[in-house]
């Protein structure tokens, strides 16, 4: 038998004995996809689109971060000021300008081709995240080729394309999908420089191209989310330098040329925003945002160490179900250059995030490509553990999918007040695929089961984002409020909101939306026609009393019943419109 070199060890290749024809379709697809790089990229692009497109344009703005980003971009377009970052009159200096420029480009291109109301179409603002997510999947494939076979690289890309967390970030108009793309590109280039230094010809790319990819990714990552990309790359480099007692390989990244190049890309905007903000940009971005997260649980997101380990098993579905089975082989190969680099990519940053009090699931997303490559390499080498307790863990493919499917149906019934029959077939298909992924794991092998779980995740995407969330208008009260205002036939309507202050309402109703309390909302309506007041039920009494006191004439509109996602409770919002004689 032929001996085959793998990423983690040298093994005896096993003969391919198909037990029946249960996985003939999977084998055919994999054989087609790995016949060439072009085919592999095409298959991953199709999987990514199937995973990320459902609901991209249908799900309303999700409070609070997404509409804050989108509204700041909208104000850039309205004012023509592409340096300053503002949400209404407040500065937003927590993140750099990169994502706003990308979103503004998408919106302006949509307007140029005649897309109606592009400025308030949240799906258009999500296009950069979609591109970032698809790019991250393809760059994961490219990065994986430095470590594993084409087949394993395809599996790693498929795991990323169908991971629950990336599916969420691909549909949110914020920074994290793009940060994942830049980080994966930077670490993929770093990996090639390191492995070449170790005598492993992991790439045919010229050294200057590798360096250009690395430093371009670093500059783009800084413009997207500040110094976070430096942490990921820096921690990995330091870990390797400590393990090897040498950092000579870093010179292959040509820092003497690359660092000035990166600074040339980043510095112009940094200088412009520092001049515009009188230096407060650095105070807000580093002091009030980054350091606040390091020293305390910012915005009620404090969680104990170990939280990321717990949520990993849900957020990296379906790949996470094989992580425990792959761990023994990874541990045995920990001193080999390829495995060592992937562990350096993951372990230091993961520990740092576990120690930082402020925790959000997407913080560790840039570490998932390395985990996907590690798992895929072990699957491809047939080195997964056969420990019966670890093998039994594959049942979580089925359990988690069943739980999520039932939850989606419950949301349709409880929140949507309907059966939501379009959710049922996709949810059922997801459960069936995940059931067979578990049941046939020891019959057809890990690769076939993983691909069945990938199919389950795709069906879940259609069930959740395509069939369920777009119809749950009760989760998005701002949509009903804005629709009422814009349907009134006013040329230039303006609103005040009392007691309901979600950013999505500002994005949908307009930048000039005012914020107040019940009594001040009545005073606002007195100011003229085509004025609207959105008053939370807790502020209604004060509104009516003030309206009576000042003799306000107004028209009562529909009551919007919903659920405040961030407030955690039901929301009832009364709508009022000033009469023309007011």
């Amino acid at each position: 038998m032929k001996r085959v070199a793998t990423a983690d060890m040298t093994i005896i290749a096993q003969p391919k004995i198909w037990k029946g024809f249960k996985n003939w379709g999977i084998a055919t697809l994999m054989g087609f996809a790995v016949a060439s790089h072009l085919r592999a990229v095409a298959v991953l692009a199709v999987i990514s689109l199937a995973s990320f497109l459902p609901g991209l344009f249908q799900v309303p703005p999700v409070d609070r971060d997404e509409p804050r980003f989108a509204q700041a971009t909208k104000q850039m377009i309205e004012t023509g000021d592409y340096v300053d970052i503002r949400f209404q009159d407040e500065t937003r200096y927590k993140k750099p300008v990169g994502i706003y420029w990308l979103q503004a480009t998408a919106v302006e291109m949509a307007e140029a081709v005649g897309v109606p109301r592009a400025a308030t179409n949240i799906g258009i603002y999500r296009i950069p995240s979609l591109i970032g997510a698809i790019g991250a999947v393809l760059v994961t494939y490219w990065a994986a080729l430095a470590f594993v076979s084409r087949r394993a690289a395809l599996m790693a890309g498929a795991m990323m394309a169908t991971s629950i967390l990336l599916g969420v970030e691909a549909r949110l108009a914020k920074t994290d999908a793009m940060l994942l793309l830049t980080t994966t590109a930077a670490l993929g280039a770093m990996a090639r420089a390191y492995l070449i230094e170790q005598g492993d010809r992991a790439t045919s790319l010229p050294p200057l191209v590798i360096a250009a990819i690395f430093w371009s990714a670093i500059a783009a990552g800084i413009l997207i989310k500040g110094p976070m990309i430096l942490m990921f790359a820096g921690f990995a480099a330091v870990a390797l330098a400590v393990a090897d007692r040498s950092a000579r390989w870093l010179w292959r990244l040509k820092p003497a040329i690359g660092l000035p190049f990166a600074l040339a890309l980043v510095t112009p905007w940094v200088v412009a925003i520092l001049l515009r903000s009188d230096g407060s940009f650095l105070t807000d971005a580093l002091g009030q945002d980054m350091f606040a997260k390091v020293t305390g649980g910012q915005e009620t997101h404090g969680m104990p160490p170990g939280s990321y380990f717990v949520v990993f098993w849900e957020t990296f579905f379906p790949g996470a179900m094989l992580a425990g089975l792959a761990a023994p082989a990874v541990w045995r190969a920990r001193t080999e250059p390829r495995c060592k680099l992937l562990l350096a990519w993951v372990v230091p940053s993961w520990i740092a995030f576990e120690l930082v009090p402020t925790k959000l699931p997407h913080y560790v997303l840039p570490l998932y490509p390395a985990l996907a490559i590690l798992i895929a390499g072990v699957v491809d080498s047939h080195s997964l553990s056969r420990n019966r307790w670890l093998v039994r863990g594959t049942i979580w493919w089925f359990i988690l999918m069943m739980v999520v499917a039932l939850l989606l149906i419950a949301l349709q019934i409880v929140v949507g007040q309907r059966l939501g029959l379009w959710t049922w077939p996709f949810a059922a298909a997801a459960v069936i695929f995940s059931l067979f992924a578990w049941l046939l794991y020891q019959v057809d092998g890990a690769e076939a089961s993983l691909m069945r779980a990938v199919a389950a995740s795709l069906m879940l995407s259609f069930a959740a984002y395509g069939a369920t969330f777009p119809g749950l208008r009760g989760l998005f009260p701002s949509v009903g409020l804005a629709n009422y205002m814009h349907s009134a036939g006013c040329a230039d309507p303006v609103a005040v909101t009392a007691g309901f202050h979600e950013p999505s309402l500002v994005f949908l109703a307009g930048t000039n939306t005012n914020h107040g309390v019940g009594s001040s909302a009545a005073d606002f309506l007195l100011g003229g026609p085509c004025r609207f007041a959105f008053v939370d039920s807790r502020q209604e009494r004060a509104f009516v009393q003030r309206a009576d006191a000042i003799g306000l004439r107004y028209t009562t509109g529909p009551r919007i019943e919903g659920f405040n996602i961030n407030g955690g409770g039901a929301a009832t919002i009364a709508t009022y419109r000033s009469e023309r004689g007011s």
Side-chain angles (χ1 to χ4, degrees), residues 20 54 71 179 206 277 283 314 353 360 383 387 428 444 539 550 560:
Q71 175 61 28
L179 176 66
S277 66
T283 303
E314 295 85 28
F353 282 125
L360 287 170
S383 302
N387 180 285
D444 291 336
Q539 301 276 344
I550 61 177
I560 304 299

Side-chain angles (χ1 to χ4, degrees), residues 77 102-115 118 124 127 131:
I77 298 171
L102 293 173
Q103 291 177 359
T105 300
V107 173
E108 290 174 339
M109 290 179 65
E111 290 178 335
V113 298
V115 175
I124 296 173
I127 289 175
I131 294 172

Side-chain angles (χ1 to χ4, degrees), residues 437-512:
W438 163 52
L439 288 179
L440 297 179
Y441 174 81
Q442 296 190 73
V443 176
D444 291 336
E447 180 184 289
S449 283
L450 175 62
M451 299 313 293
R452 290 188 182 102
V454 163
S457 187
L458 291 178
M459 292 298 102
L460 179 66
S461 178
F462 282 98
Y465 302 110
T468 301
F469 290 122
L472 299 181
R473 294 298 175 177
L475 294 179
F476 310 100
S478 297
V479 175
L481 297 173
N483 287 345
Y484 164 66
M485 185 181 79
H486 291 304
S487 65
C490 292
D492 190 20
V494 62
V496 63
T497 178
F500 182 78
H501 301 291
E502 296 301 329
S504 58
L505 182 58
V506 177
F507 174 73
L508 294 171
T511 303
N512 56 358

